[in-house]
Amino acid sequence: MTKEELVKIIEDNFTNKDGIIDISELKFNTTVHIFGMKVNGHLHQDSQKVKGELSQDSQEVEGNLYQGHQEVEGHLFQGYQEVEGNLYQTCLRVEGKIYN
């Protein structure tokens, strides 16, 4: 499966009645990489619980970017954001360092 096919599957199966893609509350037992997000609306990356490091950087968002309610046992990386709207980074609990 290509990434384009995966995007189509997500759009077809996880878009709610308001036209918003909702892939909330996924649970993984391994390292997850989601890089290079390009969003023509709002991007919500919140309520994460991470036992290692959390990297949420290099985003391009034409709307608002929400990165809050994070619980991170390692370091938190939230740098290199390009946001045309507002950037919200609130309610963080990080045992390591925060890099913005």
Side-chain angles (χ1 to χ4, degrees):
M1 173 185 312
T2 67
K3 290 183 181 179
E4 290 80 12
E5 291 169 329
L6 176 60
V7 168
K8 178 79 170 120
I9 289 170
I10 291 170
E11 289 174 340
D12 291 347
N13 295 285
F14 296 94
T15 300
N16 68 21
K17 63 180 172 40
D18 298 319
I20 297 169
I21 293 174
D22 184 354
I23 53 172
S24 303
E25 308 211 14
L26 299 175
K27 294 181 181 168
F28 298 94
N29 292 320
T30 186
T31 299
V32 177
H33 289 219
I34 303 172
F35 291 103
M37 301 293 290
K38 292 183 176 134
V39 178
N40 292 331
H42 302 306
L43 178 60
H44 294 255
Q45 297 176 316
D46 48 31
S47 301
Q48 318 287 1
K49 291 184 181 179
V50 180
K51 292 195 180 214
E53 296 181 343
L54 175 57
S55 179
Q56 295 178 314
D57 48 22
S58 300
Q59 314 292 344
E60 294 178 25
V61 182
E62 291 186 13
N64 296 329
L65 175 57
Y66 302 86
Q67 295 177 319
H69 299 92
Q70 314 291 1
E71 293 183 26
V72 184
E73 291 184 10
H75 300 307
L76 172 61
F77 300 89
Q78 292 180 319
Y80 307 107
Q81 312 291 3
E82 291 185 29
V83 182
E84 291 185 16
N86 296 311
L87 173 61
Y88 301 95
Q89 295 175 321
T90 60
C91 301
L92 306 174
R93 187 181 69 74
V94 180
E95 291 183 17
K97 294 183 179 181
I98 298 175
Y99 297 92
N100 285 338

